[in-house]
DNA sequence: AACACGCCCTGCGCGC
DNA sequence: TGCGCGCAGGGCGTGT
């Protein structure tokens, strides 16, 4: 799944739900990342007021609740599928007949409902309150990025960790972290405090470039990611390094290597990325 | 206190 | 054709 661009695409496609009223909800009863913390009666007759995305969460604002959906690794939201799909874990039917199905084989995703109060914005919810800055927000400037680096430069972090950890800049997962590092010509193992500060301008630009390009291309559809209408994105056709170990670097023709960092695969060109 | 690692799951592709 | 292994977009909880 689903890094920031993919969730952003889903959010746009789910805007059609605004104004619709929930009629009933089906639960598979199988445990997702957390057990459901609400029942059908809690959200019956709730109107979807507005959709948001924060990090990799979809947020549906209703009259009384913030409904948070996270897709984990293999979650899909699909509108208006008639049949019950394998691994469908919940399905919301609206009063006009529209349905929203959540399908997730690995069940690393979640749906949670949080009571809204007048002063509780979704950003303050437990699952969201420790997240870093949104990279596509206007607050994310080069100056701000360097500020975040300066606050954290004494930590013993590799550039890959710094990119992927949601407490600094959120929404960048394993695929796009690898691609951003390639474009920036930086090795994923490079320690953040050994990078020339001027390099941060290039990293900053590549974060924006790659995330925006991914959104423009409808996201990456490798195995599970599908749009709410079942169609695929095409960003996977433009990867320079992710999943290309053993193949040739598109720039220098040398081998792309795969290494493990903190349990995740990193792909990089040892010649281009220092 | 910071960091590495296991674990939550199913499914797929690979080598034998 | 079948079996076992390793691996997969995430991220929380545990142990050192």
């Amino acid at each position: 799944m689903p890094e920031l661009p993919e969730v952003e695409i889903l959010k746009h496609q789910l805007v059609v739900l605004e104004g619709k009223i929930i009629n009933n909800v089906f639960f598979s009863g199988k445990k997702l990342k957390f057990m459901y913390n609400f029942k059908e009666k809690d959200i019956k007759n709730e109107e979807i007021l507005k959709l948001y995305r924060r990090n990799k969460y979809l947020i549906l604002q209703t009259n009384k609740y913030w409904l948070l959906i996270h897709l984990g690794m293999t979650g899909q939201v699909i509108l208006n599928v008639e049949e019950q799909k394998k691994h469908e874990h919940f399905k919301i039917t609206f009063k006009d007949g529209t349905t929203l199905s959540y399908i997730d084989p690995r069940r690393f995703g979640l749906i949670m409902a949080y009571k809204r109060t007048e002063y509780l914005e979704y950003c303050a919810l437990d699952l969201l309150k420790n997240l870093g800055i949104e990279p596509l927000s206007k607050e994310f400037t080069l100056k701000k990025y360097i500020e975040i680096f300066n606050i954290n430069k004494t930590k013993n972090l590799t550039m890959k960790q710094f990119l992927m950890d949601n407490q600094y800049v959120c929404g960048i997962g394993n695929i796009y972290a690898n691609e951003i590092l390639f474009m920036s010509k930086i090795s994923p193992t490079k320690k953040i405090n050994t990078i020339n500060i001027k390099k941060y301008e290039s990293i900053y630009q590549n974060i924006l470039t790659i995330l925006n390009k991914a959104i423009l291309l409808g996201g990456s559809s490798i195995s599970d990611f599908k749009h709410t209408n079942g169609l695929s994105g095409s960003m996977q056709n433009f990867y320079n390094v992710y999943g290309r170990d053993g193949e040739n670097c598109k720039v220098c023709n040398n081998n792309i290597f795969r290494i493990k960092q903190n349990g995740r695969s990193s792909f990089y060109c040892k010649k281009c990325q220092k």
Side-chain angles (χ1 to χ4, degrees), chain A residues 1-3 6 73-74 76 175-176 219-226 232-237 239 242-243:
Chain A
M1 171 249 24
E3 304 185 24
E6 288 74 27
M73 296 273 258
T74 51
Q76 295 178 32
I175 293 178
Y176 298 127
S220 294
S221 290
I222 58 174
S223 81
D224 293 301
F225 177 70
K226 292 275 170 31
S232 299
S234 61
M235 182 66 182
Q236 68 280 4
N237 300 325
Y239 293 164
Y242 182 81

Side-chain angles (χ1 to χ4, degrees), chain A residues 24 27 31 38 55 60 62 87 92 96 100 114 171 180 201 203-204 210 213 224 231 235 244 247 250 260 264 268:
Chain A
N24 61 62
F27 295 108
K31 188 178 182 296
F38 65 100
N55 188 25
L60 285 65
T62 76
H87 302 301
I92 297 174
D96 71 350
L100 180 156
Y114 293 91
I180 290 162
E201 181 164 359
I203 301 165
Y204 169 80
I210 295 210
K213 180 178 179 184
D224 293 301
L231 298 179
M235 182 66 182
R244 297 191 66 247
E247 298 177 37
K250 293 177 181 179
K260 274 266 182 215
R264 312 297 293 273
Y268 72 117

